[in-house]
Amino acid sequence: VVLGEAVSAADEITVSAALSLKSAFEEIGKTFEDKYPGTRVFFNFAASGTLQKQIEAGAPADVFVSASPKEMDALERSGDILDGTRSDFASNVIVLITAANTQTRLASFNDLRKSEVERIAIGNPAAVPAGAYAEEALRKLGLWDILKARLVYGEHVRQVMDYVARGEASAGMVFLTDAISRHSELKVVAEAPASERKPVLYAIAAIRAARNATGANKFIALVISKEGKLVLRKYGFKVTW
Amino acid sequence: MITDGSAWFSLRLSLQIATIATALVIFAGGAVAYLLAMKNFRGKDVIDMLFTLPLVLPPTVTGYYLIILFGRKGLIGRPVFEATGWSVMFTWEAGVIASFVVSLPLMIKTVRAAIESVDKSLICASYTLGHSGLETALRVIFPLAKKGIIAGTVLSFARAMGEFGATLMLAGNIPGKTNTMPIAIYSLASSGEWSKAHAMVVLFTVISGLFVYMANAFGKSPV
C-alpha cells in the first residue's frame, strides 16, 4: 500500500499541537527538517482537549503543544509528560479589529463609544474562549455596561471575523493570531489589556512515552530558540526574549 | 492551488480509506443484516442497538470509544501493542476502523430491510429443494436483495468518504499521514487558509457527487 512508509521511529517525530498554532508550527517544522536532515516532522493538529485524550490513550506522539495550561497540567498530573521538558513559551492577546476597508475610523477601545459603531462582534462568552476574554477586557476597560446592547455574539471566532470582514459589525474582538491569519480583510486597531484571571498561555513538552525523545527535545529547543520565537511573533504570538 | 500535492494526497487517502472500509462493511454488514433479518436469538435487540449506536452518537463520542478500545492503553490496543509494539492510533488504518464503524449501521439497516422484503415462498422453495442455509443465502436471498446491497454500499461509501469526527480522534490530523479530505478542509478553514479550502471543497463535492451518480446509474441498470 502506497501510504505505509517504513520509516524508523528515530527518523521522525510526531508533534501533537493545538490547531491555532498550525501556520507557525508548519514553518518551524520546515526549519527543523532543514536543520536536521533525515528527520521528518509529522504534525497532528486538533483541539488541545482532543490531543490530551489521544495522549492519555497512548497515542504515539513525541511532543505535545497545548493552547492553554489546563490540558498540559492534566497530562503532567497523569504522568504522561517527561519531567523538566515543559515550557510555557508563548501567549496571545485579544485585539480590537475592523474590516480592512472600513469607513469607521477607530483608534482605540474608547472609540467604540462613538454612535457610528452600531454593532460589535465578539464570541459568545459562554461558549467561545475568545469571547470570555473579550468580555473580561471590556469590563476592565469600563466599557461592558455601555456597549452591552450593541454586542453580537458569534458561535466561534471565524463567525466573529466574518461579521467584521463583511461589514455586518463595525468592529470585533478576537485573538491577535486569528486577526493576523486574515490580515488582508481585517485591521488590528488596538490590543486589550492582558487577562489577570487566566493568561492565554501556550505550553510545550515532551511526552514520556515518546519514541524519539532526542528529536522531541531538539524540536522544543528550536521552538523556544530566538529563531522559533521570531516565527511565532510573525504569526501574532507574544513571546518573551 | 489545486495542484498542491497535499490536496491530492488527502483525496487519495480518503478514497483508499473509504474503499477498504466499504469492502469490509459489505461483508460484515451483509452477515449481520442476514442474522438480524432471518434468525431469532436471545439478545437480538441488544445486537441491533449496539450496531445502530454509531449512527446516532456524535462521531466524536464514537471516536472516544474507539480511543478507549484501540489506544495503546486500550482494551484491544494494549494486548496488540504488547505483542507487536505497534499501535493503530495515528495510522491511516485507524481511519479505516473509524469509517468502518460509522458506516456499518447504514449497510446493516439497508440490507436488513431488503432481505426482509424478499418473498418468503422463494426462500422456502430453496430449502424444499434441498439447499442448505448458506446456499440459500448466497444463491437466493442476497441476489434478490441486490438493490438494497448496492444502495447500502453507496451510502456506506459516501459516509466513509465524509467521515470526520471519529477519524480525527483515532487517526489524528497528521498532514502527509492521516489528513483525509474532510480533515484537511477543517484544518485549512480553522487556520484561515480559505483559498485552499475552497478548492478542496469543490474537488471533494464533485468527486463525491460523481460516485453517488455512478452508483445510482449502476443500481438502476437491469440485470
Side-chain angles (χ1 to χ4, degrees), chain A residues 141-189:
Chain A
L141 294 162
L143 291 167
W144 178 257
D145 292 319
I146 302 163
L147 300 177
K148 211 174 156 190
R150 288 191 255 160
L151 295 175
V152 284
Y153 290 160
E155 282 313 307
H156 41 77
V157 171
R158 273 196 316 265
Q159 199 179 352
V160 173
M161 295 194 290
D162 285 339
Y163 283 153
V164 179
R166 294 201 195 111
E168 287 167 46
S170 322
M173 292 169 71
V174 295
F175 284 121
L176 177 58
T177 51
D178 291 318
I180 285 187
S181 76
R182 291 175 70 173
H183 59 87
S184 57
E185 302 161 276
L186 301 170
K187 190 166 68 185
V188 175
V189 174

Side-chain angles (χ1 to χ4, degrees), chain A residues 23-81:
Chain A
S23 306
F25 267 57
E26 277 175 345
E27 192 172 328
I28 294 176
K30 284 205 185 76
T31 310
F32 185 90
E33 288 180 344
D34 289 344
K35 255 191 155 68
Y36 304 102
T39 305
R40 275 197 76 182
V41 181
F42 287 100
F43 287 109
N44 174 37
F45 294 114
S48 305
T50 301
L51 300 175
Q52 178 200 332
K53 288 277 170 288
Q54 289 174 334
I55 291 166
E56 281 169 358
D62 300 297
V63 178
F64 175 51
V65 200
S66 74
S68 85
K70 195 180 102 193
E71 292 80 11
M72 187 63 86
D73 292 348
L75 285 184
E76 265 192 322
R77 273 196 303 275
S78 60
D80 287 302
I81 295 300

Side-chain angles (χ1 to χ4, degrees), chain A residues 63-160:
Chain A
V63 178
F64 175 51
V65 200
S66 74
S68 85
K70 195 180 102 193
E71 292 80 11
M72 187 63 86
D73 292 348
L75 285 184
E76 265 192 322
R77 273 196 303 275
S78 60
D80 287 302
I81 295 300
L82 207 55
D83 298 333
T85 58
R86 173 175 176 170
S87 168
D88 294 354
F89 66 100
S91 60
N92 212 337
V93 284
I94 289 288
V95 291
L96 179 61
I97 54 168
T98 61
N101 56 357
T102 185
Q103 303 295 320
T104 323
R105 294 250 167 268
L106 295 180
S108 70
F109 276 95
N110 256 324
D111 286 350
L112 289 176
R113 295 165 188 265
K114 291 181 183 173
S115 59
E116 61 187 298
V117 182
E118 282 172 33
R119 280 192 288 270
I120 302 153
I122 69 171
N124 178 358
V128 185
Y133 282 111
E135 175 179 345
E136 190 192 340
L138 287 177
R139 284 187 188 281
K140 195 187 252 177
L141 294 162
L143 291 167
W144 178 257
D145 292 319
I146 302 163
L147 300 177
K148 211 174 156 190
R150 288 191 255 160
L151 295 175
V152 284
Y153 290 160
E155 282 313 307
H156 41 77
V157 171
R158 273 196 316 265
Q159 199 179 352
V160 173

Side-chain angles (χ1 to χ4, degrees), chain B residues 143-167:
Chain B
L144 286 172
K146 199 182 100 186
K147 282 210 165 164
I149 295 170
I150 292 171
T153 306
V154 173
L155 283 174
S156 301
F157 186 80
R159 180 68 187 82
M161 276 294 279
E163 205 334 273
F164 172 74
T167 307

Side-chain angles (χ1 to χ4, degrees), chain B residues 62-200:
Chain B
T62 306
Y64 187 69
Y65 279 118
L66 291 178
I67 283 189
I68 291 173
L69 279 177
F70 291 102
R72 219 188 298 179
K73 297 170 189 166
L75 292 172
I76 299 172
R78 185 196 291 269
V80 171
F81 181 70
E82 278 166 6
T84 64
W86 180 80
S87 165
V88 77
M89 269 191 91
F90 286 4
T91 65
W92 68 269
E93 289 93 334
V96 174
I97 294 177
S99 290
F100 173 80
V101 169
V102 296
S103 49
L104 187 61
L106 291 167
M107 192 71 186
I108 294 174
K109 295 273 162 207
T110 324
V111 175
R112 181 184 180 177
I115 292 177
E116 281 170 347
S117 67
V118 169
D119 191 344
K120 293 285 173 293
S121 59
L122 294 174
I123 300 171
C124 291
S126 169
Y127 285 132
T128 313
L129 292 169
H131 286 138
S132 69
L134 182 67
E135 269 179 307
T136 306
L138 293 179
R139 297 174 65 176
V140 178
I141 300 175
F142 284 122
L144 286 172
K146 199 182 100 186
K147 282 210 165 164
I149 295 170
I150 292 171
T153 306
V154 173
L155 283 174
S156 301
F157 186 80
R159 180 68 187 82
M161 276 294 279
E163 205 334 273
F164 172 74
T167 307
L168 182 64
M169 299 285 276
L170 195 65
N173 167 18
I174 306 180
K177 258 189 183 174
T178 68
N179 64 332
T180 58
M181 257 199 128
I183 288 176
I185 290 168
Y186 156 78
S187 205
L188 290 171
S190 307
S191 57
E193 294 166 76
W194 286 106
S195 52
K196 277 189 195 169
H198 286 319
M200 271 213 206

Side-chain angles (χ1 to χ4, degrees), chain A residues 187-223:
Chain A
K187 190 166 68 185
V188 175
V189 174
E191 270 182 25
S195 169
E196 284 156 14
R197 183 178 53 92
K198 208 176 111 193
V200 196
L201 282 178
Y202 292 82
I204 188 168
I207 306 296
R208 185 176 299 280
R211 292 167 304 171
N212 185 355
T214 320
N217 283 322
K218 279 184 196 159
F219 186 84
I220 294 169
L222 177 63
V223 170

